[in-house]
Amino acid sequence: VSHDIRTPLTSIIGYLGLIEEGQYSSEEDLKRYIHIAYTKSLQMKVLVDDLFEYTKVRQTSTPLTVQTVKLDRLLEQIAAEFELESSRKEMAIEVEMKTKELQIEFDVDKMARVFNNLISNALKYGKDGNLIRIEADKVGSEAVVSVINNGKMIPKESLDELFNRFYRVEASRSQQTGGTGLGLAIAQSIVSLHGGYIYAESNDKETKFVMHLPLKQTNC
Ligand code: ATP
Ligand code: MG
């Protein structure tokens, strides 16, 4: 954590210091320094917000605001929100309900955050593929929801590590995409607050994040 916070902060202080001391030779340089300091501040804000969220959802006492949700509607709506971004990346995004009219109880805001992270991951790290598919099925008293993309395979030894905070498969590549490595750690905590679990599978054809979620919440 300290490294991830210190690095952008050092660079912000460095560039603001140059501005403060008038150490720039042109207006262009000045603008560039301001731009870097601003960009790094925004990055830090994302990190601090995510860290706060992570700490919050890690606490098993965190309350859930449970609602009954029509899963097909919610998934269609979330997929629609990614339509523009995915078409820009020439990736198709589709929802397949294997069980129709599936109703589930969960905290919509928190679970939307989970789906958003899984889909944006598929868009960020599955760029060499062209398809993102969200599947949902009812199995016994659970909903099984998967987010699948046909991009590059995640190495076996990384599959379990993915859910650890700050873990990224390729540090340098992921850094460019601005990820903090907290998305899946937050997702796992949110799913487990609901009494469910999440895991990843990957082969050379597809990468799949599977969630098992109880249809009913008994503790709320
Ligand atoms: P953040 O979500 O906090 O912005 P992030 O996307 O790097 O940052 P996670 O969502 O936790 O963090 O993902 C962890 C790592 O898992 C990613 O950096 C990436 O290396 C790998 N990963 C996640 N989803 C996929 C995917 N669909 N295909 C390939 N690799 C993935
Ligand atoms: Mg992510």
Side-chain angles (χ1 to χ4, degrees):
V1 189
S2 58
H3 172 263
D4 282 277
I5 292 182
R6 204 173 279 144
T7 311
L9 196 53
T10 304
S11 138
I12 292 164
I13 293 169
Y15 283 102
L16 290 180
L18 292 177
I19 296 167
E20 168 93 358
E21 290 157 16
Q23 286 191 48
Y24 49 89
S25 46
S26 64
E27 171 136 356
E28 212 170 281
D29 272 356
L30 172 64
K31 279 191 176 156
R32 199 162 57 84
Y33 296 168
I34 293 171
H35 177 73
I36 296 170
Y38 180 59
T39 310
K40 296 278 171 193
S41 322
L42 292 178
Q43 260 177 33
M44 263 192 79
K45 172 153 167 47
V46 172
L47 173 63
V48 171
D49 285 349
D50 282 356
L51 261 177
F52 181 68
E53 178 75 11
Y54 172 73
T55 316
K56 215 169 56 179
V57 295
R58 282 268 291 178
Q59 288 163 347
T60 49
S61 57
T62 297
L64 295 175
T65 310
V66 173
Q67 273 176 269
T68 304
V69 178
K70 292 193 162 87
L71 196 58
D72 50 348
R73 274 211 213 154
L74 181 75
L75 294 178
E76 292 287 356
Q77 189 189 327
I78 291 174
E81 284 163 15
F82 282 95
E83 204 62 64
L84 186 65
E85 196 182 335
S86 60
S87 70
R88 270 197 196 125
K89 294 187 169 171
E90 292 178 358
M91 291 173 86
I93 179 162
E94 59 185 41
V95 177
E96 188 187 343
M97 298 301 293
K98 299 201 157 175
T99 304
K100 305 282 176 241
E101 289 170 23
L102 189 49
Q103 296 220 37
I104 185 165
E105 293 175 0
F106 59 44
D107 185 319
V108 181
D109 289 346
K110 290 200 170 59
M111 283 307 301
R113 171 152 196 162
V114 173
F115 295 127
N116 282 332
N117 179 253
L118 293 177
I119 298 168
S120 53
N121 279 352
L123 282 166
K124 274 196 284 185
Y125 309 114
K127 263 184 289 196
D128 38 346
N130 58 6
L131 181 65
I132 299 169
R133 201 169 71 248
I134 307 163
E135 279 179 15
D137 200 358
K138 184 181 159 209
V139 180
S141 59
E142 288 180 338
V144 182
V145 188
S146 309
V147 177
I148 303 156
N149 70 273
N150 62 352
K152 198 175 157 208
M153 178 178 169
I154 299 175
K156 280 245 158 349
E157 62 274 16
S158 297
L159 282 180
D160 290 329
E161 305 253 31
L162 293 180
F163 298 94
N164 294 341
R165 58 181 181 184
F166 301 123
Y167 183 83
R168 299 168 183 132
V169 176
E170 283 172 56
S172 56
R173 197 183 77 173
S174 300
Q175 203 113 51
Q176 278 180 1
T177 61
T180 59
L182 280 167
L184 287 173
I186 291 171
Q188 186 179 50
S189 295
I190 291 175
V191 168
S192 101
L193 280 175
H194 287 86
Y197 58 97
I198 180 170
Y199 59 90
E201 286 175 354
S202 190
N203 58 36
D204 53 4
K205 288 202 185 63
E206 59 178 33
T207 291
K208 188 171 176 174
F209 287 84
V210 185
M211 279 167 283
H212 286 244
L213 297 160
L215 294 171
K216 301 228 175 273
Q217 291 295 316
T218 42
N219 299 329
C220 320

